[in-house]
Amino acid sequence: MNQITLSHETDVDLWRAAVRPLLARRLPPESLSWRVGQEAPDLFSDMAEPPRGKTRLAVTHPIRITKQQMALCERVLCHTDPARFHHLYSVLQRLQMDPHALDDPGFHSGKWVRAADQSIRRDRHKMHAFVRFKKVGDRPSSEGAREVFAAWFEPDYRIVELTAAFFARRFTGMDWSILTPYGCSHWNGEILSFSPGVDKTHAPDADVLESAWTTYYSSIFNPSRVKISAMMSEMPKKYWKNLPEASVIPHLIQEAEHQKSGFMSAPETAPHKLARKITPDVYALRATPKHITSWDEAKQAAERCTSCALHQCATQTVFGEGPLNADLMLVGEQPGDREDLTGRVFTGPAGELLDKALIAAGLDRRNLYITNAVKHFNFAPRGKIRLHRTPTVDEIKSCKYWLDLERKFIRPRVILALGKTALRSLTGYSAALNSVRGQKISGLNGDIILATYHPSYLLRLPHGQARAEACRKFTADLSQAQSLADAPQMMK
Ligand code: URA
């Protein structure tokens, strides 16, 4: 057994110096034993055959470790599990033979390293978000007194060194120390330094800034944006004890709940002045027109549609747009607040997300025809706010007339329904989206209908893994739809 001794738990330099010659000699992971000691005078002190010396190196194998792989290793070294050295070495060894080893689901060490990396990234993210400095004094300096701050934080892993540069960049103008059980970092305006971990008795006490921060936090707390589950997943309770604002959060949430119930039961108010109908007197058309022979006629007629009550408060009809020979059509639910004011589909926050996903999927929005199942904004006025309301089945049915005309004149090969309302209008299905996602449904016109998430659903998901995964699926669905639309075809 060859023993390697590092001087401390996150001793990246010695670890890096150790693994290269070991890999070069193709030593198997099982033949190595890793140890962390106070002193590491000789890295390979207990090795039977030291991997140094000209003759040995001459017969060794070349080593390939990319920058990204090394960065991954440096992060994972901050894990607290002693097995990390073994797993990291096993991964690096496999990577020498197979550059895709980390993607192999059957490779235990690869799986372990990927999971550890995720946990460490999450821990870093939490540390960036939840470190709260307290003022502990002033320090005289040549440019006048510098304020000195300290913070106590309890990370899950040994990430103090990994996160220190972030705080030095963000809080350059003050002296600070971050104290944790795993190690401490210190900044004096010029130099970042590190010292061993301390226990909680070193945590700084409350100060005046803390009460100022709590007051500020309460004033920016927006009750209409409170999503308790999202908040709890972003700010898990274990961090609350070190956050000054945590003492006011339960009270603020209670207040928010109270305000929300008052909000929802309040009588409807008059629409916002910007939401007045643009053409209040041209709604002569009571029944849907029968003889429409082109897309232009359909668009003009839809502008005067009164076949359901939604036209009464919406600003204008928002008809679909895009090339009339598009092979791919996207169908959303209904215009939102912004679309109602601009008269153009997907121009608000959902549209921004859609645009990003289209770019990620390699699609050009200019080649797509984009429309909605319902053409008028459906909302409940609440003071200055117009709250989105899901269209009823009757409203969807009533507006289907226009969607059918768009399908008839555009004749897309593929239609991608964004969300349940669009799916319902296109197919009559009221199934859960996940049960139809990825399936090809044959439309009556010989077109193919696919379904994916609505961008607003993705926006509502809390930031994190679930959202990233749903966005990835959404992007994949967009590119699948485009590939089907691009597949070799008969003439239209
Ligand atoms: N949501 C939709 O479904 N359509 C739009 O145009 C905007 C938001």
Side-chain angles (χ1 to χ4, degrees), residues 123-136 147-172 174-189 191-204 239 242-243:
D123 203 27
R124 262 176 102 175
H125 173 70
K126 299 290 180 216
M127 185 159 172
H128 290 164
F130 298 138
V131 161
R132 296 284 180 272
F133 288 105
K134 294 172 183 177
K135 184 164 176 190
V136 291
E147 292 183 301
V148 182
F149 289 79
W152 168 253
F153 189 72
E154 292 168 50
D156 291 333
Y157 304 103
R158 298 187 180 95
I159 54 168
V160 172
E161 291 177 34
L162 217 52
T163 51
F166 167 86
F167 290 101
R169 276 196 305 276
R170 178 169 282 191
F171 302 104
T172 318
M174 63 195 215
D175 286 7
W176 53 255
S177 291
I178 301 176
L179 314 176
T180 89
Y182 288 132
C184 306
S185 52
H186 313 273
W187 170 251
N188 65 3
I191 297 168
L192 255 181
S193 56
F194 302 94
S195 59
V198 291
D199 64 34
K200 193 158 186 199
T201 54
H202 291 76
Y239 296 107
N242 296 320
L243 298 177

Side-chain angles (χ1 to χ4, degrees), residues 272-414:
H272 188 277
K273 63 179 185 309
L274 286 177
R276 277 197 315 263
K277 288 185 294 186
I278 286 174
T279 49
D281 49 354
V282 293
Y283 288 96
L285 200 67
R286 289 280 147 194
T288 43
K290 297 279 179 281
H291 304 293
I292 290 185
T293 55
S294 69
W295 180 88
D296 286 314
E297 279 178 32
K299 179 170 158 53
Q300 280 165 24
E303 278 159 16
R304 290 171 284 127
C305 180
T306 58
S307 62
C308 78
L310 293 184
H311 74 279
Q312 288 169 358
C313 293
T315 307
Q316 57 193 309
T317 303
V318 181
F319 207 66
E321 58 185 45
L324 302 188
N325 61 352
D327 284 326
L328 177 56
M329 176 187 270
L330 306 191
V331 183
E333 182 185 79
Q334 59 164 346
D337 183 83
R338 180 106 203 112
E339 289 79 11
D340 174 72
L341 299 174
T342 59
R344 301 196 48 207
V345 289
F346 281 104
T347 42
E352 279 169 28
L353 188 142
L354 176 64
D355 285 345
K356 284 188 193 147
L358 288 173
I359 292 170
L363 272 65
D364 188 340
R365 179 169 171 153
R366 289 168 303 184
N367 296 336
L368 311 176
Y369 185 88
I370 307 183
T371 188
N372 284 306
V374 170
K375 312 287 190 231
H376 280 121
F377 181 32
N378 187 5
F379 63 93
R382 294 282 187 274
K384 287 184 182 173
I385 299 169
R386 300 194 295 170
L387 283 184
H388 163 277
R389 215 159 38 181
T390 306
T392 62
V393 175
D394 282 345
E395 286 157 356
I396 298 170
K397 280 189 184 154
S398 152
C399 226
K400 183 170 173 344
Y401 175 82
W402 302 116
L403 183 58
D404 284 347
L405 281 178
E406 287 175 294
R407 283 172 78 180
K408 174 174 159 190
F409 294 123
I410 307 294
R411 293 210 293 144
R413 301 186 70 212
V414 178

Side-chain angles (χ1 to χ4, degrees), residues 3 33 50 53-54 69 266 311 346 393 442 483:
Q3 179 130 42
S33 151
K54 281 185 183 146
Q69 289 163 354
H311 74 279
F346 281 104
V393 175
S442 305
S483 314

